[in-house]
Amino acid sequence: MSPRWEPNPDIRTGRHVTHHLHAHLVFVTTYRRGVFDDAMLGRCEEIMREVCASFETELREFNGEADHVRLLVHYPPKVALSKLINSLKGVSSRCLRAEHTGRINRIGTGSAFWSRSYFAGSCGAPLTAIRQYIEGQKRPV
């Protein structure tokens, strides 16, 4: 890189690519049931960080409310976002159901933990605005 350029830690480089890709993801529980408490959200974040690491992506921000979670993911262009989302939802669903069976069954989400739909937005907006929005989520106690 030229000495006149300041290296930006957000811009990642590969062998044949330089990229700066972020996605804002929102996953909603089935029937928007209020399943999450603070401990479940913490565990969900751990699980999703592990899944992101296996895809060579970085989970930059995570937060949620009783019925949904929001993520800000920094990912390389070789990752198909739909495959990452499928893994995030699938692995987290299996783990959370196994660890919190009583709570999830009592609330009654049915056979699926997550709704089949999701929101995925590319982040061309200032990341500070999205970070503030995610950090401002009302986390249940």
Side-chain angles (χ1 to χ4, degrees):
M1 194 165 287
S2 172
R4 62 190 159 120
W5 290 29
E6 295 279 328
N8 185 343
D10 284 340
I11 297 176
R12 294 165 60 180
T13 59
R15 179 178 255 167
H16 301 288
V17 64
T18 301
H19 58 91
H20 184 62
L21 300 171
H22 288 85
H24 175 205
L25 307 174
V26 181
F27 305 147
V28 179
T29 58
T30 303
Y31 309 121
R32 297 233 15 149
R33 302 270 197 230
V35 176
F36 291 110
D37 59 8
D38 192 46
M40 274 185 77
L41 281 173
R43 180 62 181 133
C44 188
E45 180 177 4
E46 290 173 14
I47 294 165
M48 291 191 174
R49 283 194 187 281
E50 291 170 9
V51 172
C52 283
S54 71
F55 273 81
E56 298 176 15
T57 64
E58 180 184 357
L59 181 57
R60 291 274 174 103
E61 296 289 331
F62 177 94
N63 210 344
E65 294 184 0
D67 62 351
H68 71 278
V69 296
R70 292 180 181 272
L71 299 83
L72 180 63
V73 179
H74 190 203
Y75 65 99
K78 70 180 182 179
V79 171
L81 206 49
S82 60
K83 293 200 184 289
L84 174 64
I85 290 168
N86 189 27
S87 276
L88 286 168
K89 289 172 75 173
V91 172
S92 63
S93 175
R94 279 191 303 279
C95 292
L96 291 174
R97 281 180 169 283
E99 296 170 13
H100 300 276
T101 303
R103 179 176 176 78
I104 293 171
N105 288 343
R106 187 174 61 248
I107 293 171
T109 58
S111 61
F113 183 78
W114 297 111
S115 169
R116 292 189 315 176
S117 59
Y118 60 87
F119 170 80
S122 62
C123 298
L127 294 177
T128 54
I130 294 169
R131 280 195 180 121
Q132 287 175 350
Y133 186 74
I134 291 175
E135 289 171 359
Q137 294 288 296
K138 297 174 190 156
R139 193 174 196 130
V141 180

